[in-house]
Amino acid sequence: MKQIHPPRIEPPRTMKEIHESPIRRREVNSNPLGRTGVTVTALGFGAAPLGNLYRPLAAPDALAAVDAAWDSGVRYFDTAPHYGLGLSERRLGDALAGRPRHEYAVSTKVGRLLTPNRAPTGSDLAAGFAVPDTLTRRPDYSRDGVLRSLEDSLRQLRLDRVDIVYVHDPDDHLDEALDQALPALADLRDQGVVGAIGAGMNTVAPLSRIAAEADVDVLMVAGRWTLVDRSAAALLDLCVRRGISVVAAAPFNSGLLSRPWPTDDASYDYGPAPGAVLDRARALAEVCRRHGTVLPHAAIRFPLRHPAVASVVVGTRTAAEATSATGWAMSELPPGTWPELDALIP
């Protein structure tokens, strides 16, 4: 791997500096999802960290992160039963309690039922979450499984409805998702129980099949429409033709693009970043530096350039992360930055 020495990186700009910047700024606007009545803010709060993703997070800190996002204008919050075996949903429900329900949108996911674990080890870290494994995840993409999962999520979230429901990672259950889970969600949408339906995955091919064959309003594409991984380009173009909105999740590719200068131990797609990918990310970081901004700013702004993308969802652990992400989402990159960044990606 070619040795690249890190340049001097200025610290990320504060919110005050962003507001006073001559760079054109836009508010965290709301975008519609397909032909539904659901709208989402261009920046969404990814609540997986609220479920103790990788390491514990104190309850007050989780609440502070949601408060900071709300105060910054974010009104779309994404969670799932998978995140911390329900902890993320409970904490998000606590944090949103008492806020005007018509002012925000919540999405959750179906496909993994939480059931008592008959052989607990004491920790769920093998699945990525620092919580006791008193429960386990059982894949269930049947109609009954969808109804039960959604009922459980509503109880955890302390809500009487959710705005968006995604079928969660049906890679190995795609036929069942198309034949049972998605039609069940379509019935719930038609009854007004949920506002919009779709699927959320890390892989492009199954999402392309869902876009072509299913009656969905929105697809969540995680990690495949980012500054360094643009493999979902054809899928997004298909979504434009089909009138399907896209929510681009994981814009930092699990850590690689989250810092002004990617470190040697940077993570990419939940593992060590390959040398070629790390070199490319550092080249992108250098372009950002020369233009007076930072890599995570470009990473958050990139997905929003495509007309299919209604929102970019960023996993958020702290109040500071929420404030920084909102500032970057609200501000355009300096003129001349995008052509140089695009030239580095085939």
Side-chain angles (χ1 to χ4, degrees):
M1 180 179 68
K2 181 176 63 176
Q3 181 66 31
I4 300 180
H5 297 286
R8 182 176 181 272
I9 298 291
E10 298 298 326
R13 295 180 296 163
T14 64
M15 286 298 293
K16 180 176 183 294
E17 290 171 329
I18 286 170
H19 282 281
E20 294 177 350
S21 171
I23 299 170
R24 184 165 62 89
R25 180 175 60 85
R26 74 177 191 179
E27 299 299 325
V28 185
N29 59 299
S30 294
N31 299 315
L33 294 182
R35 293 174 292 274
T36 72
V38 178
T39 60
V40 293
T41 44
L43 179 69
F45 183 102
L50 302 192
N52 287 1
L53 181 65
Y54 303 132
R55 61 186 187 275
L57 176 68
D61 293 335
L63 178 61
V66 177
D67 286 344
W70 183 277
D71 292 343
S72 298
V74 173
R75 294 295 183 271
Y76 172 39
F77 302 87
D78 174 70
T79 184
H82 169 60
Y83 304 153
L85 296 171
L87 179 60
S88 172
E89 288 186 321
R90 292 194 298 274
R91 283 180 164 174
L92 183 61
D94 291 343
L96 294 175
R99 302 187 190 274
R101 183 62 185 90
H102 66 281
E103 290 190 13
Y104 64 87
V106 170
S107 59
T108 192
K109 305 177 183 74
V110 296
R112 294 167 173 165
L113 284 175
L114 301 182
T115 59
N117 189 353
R118 297 181 178 180
T121 64
S123 172
D124 190 51
L125 271 177
F129 296 91
V131 296
D133 62 341
T134 53
L135 300 174
T136 189
R137 304 164 181 84
R138 177 166 61 83
D140 191 332
Y141 295 86
S142 69
R143 180 182 184 85
D144 288 345
V146 164
L147 298 176
R148 179 178 165 186
S149 179
L150 183 56
E151 182 180 9
D152 290 345
S153 290
L154 290 172
R155 183 173 61 255
Q156 300 267 44
L157 287 163
R158 298 163 56 190
L159 296 175
D160 60 3
R161 63 180 173 86
V162 290
D163 303 277
I164 308 161
V165 181
Y166 300 106
V167 178
H168 201 178
D169 289 339
D171 299 71
D172 299 325
H173 307 269
L174 191 54
D175 288 338
E176 189 177 14
L178 286 164
D179 294 341
Q180 296 195 48
L182 285 166
L185 290 179
D187 288 344
L188 293 174
R189 178 193 57 195
D190 295 344
Q191 296 166 20
V193 178
V194 300
I197 66 168
M201 304 180 71
N202 297 281
T203 47
V204 173
L207 284 173
S208 298
R209 183 179 169 193
I210 290 171
E213 298 181 18
D215 177 17
V216 295
D217 310 298
V218 57
L219 296 177
M220 176 175 277
V221 182
R224 303 285 79 84
W225 185 241
T226 73
L227 198 58
V228 294
D229 186 336
R230 307 186 184 189
S231 57
L235 169 63
L236 268 62
D237 292 343
L238 172 61
C239 287
V240 170
R241 296 194 297 273
R242 296 274 292 165
I244 299 169
S245 296
V246 171
V247 170
F252 297 149
N253 281 116
S254 78
L256 177 70
L257 306 178
S258 64
R259 298 179 180 179
W261 184 256
T263 57
D264 290 342
D265 61 349
S267 175
Y268 175 74
D269 279 354
Y270 311 105
V277 175
L278 185 60
D279 286 345
R280 185 176 301 166
R282 286 173 170 173
L284 294 165
E286 171 61 16
V287 170
C288 290
R289 184 197 65 80
R290 286 193 286 99
H291 284 274
T293 187
V294 289
L295 185 61
H297 182 188
I300 287 178
R301 290 292 304 175
F302 169 78
L304 297 169
R305 299 168 71 201
H306 197 286
V309 176
S311 181
V312 55
V313 168
V314 179
T316 307
R317 175 177 292 272
T318 67
E321 290 177 358
T323 302
S324 296
T326 309
W328 288 321
M330 290 167 58
S331 60
E332 303 282 1
L333 263 63
T337 310
W338 283 123
E340 287 196 44
L341 292 175
D342 290 341
L344 293 173
I345 305 297

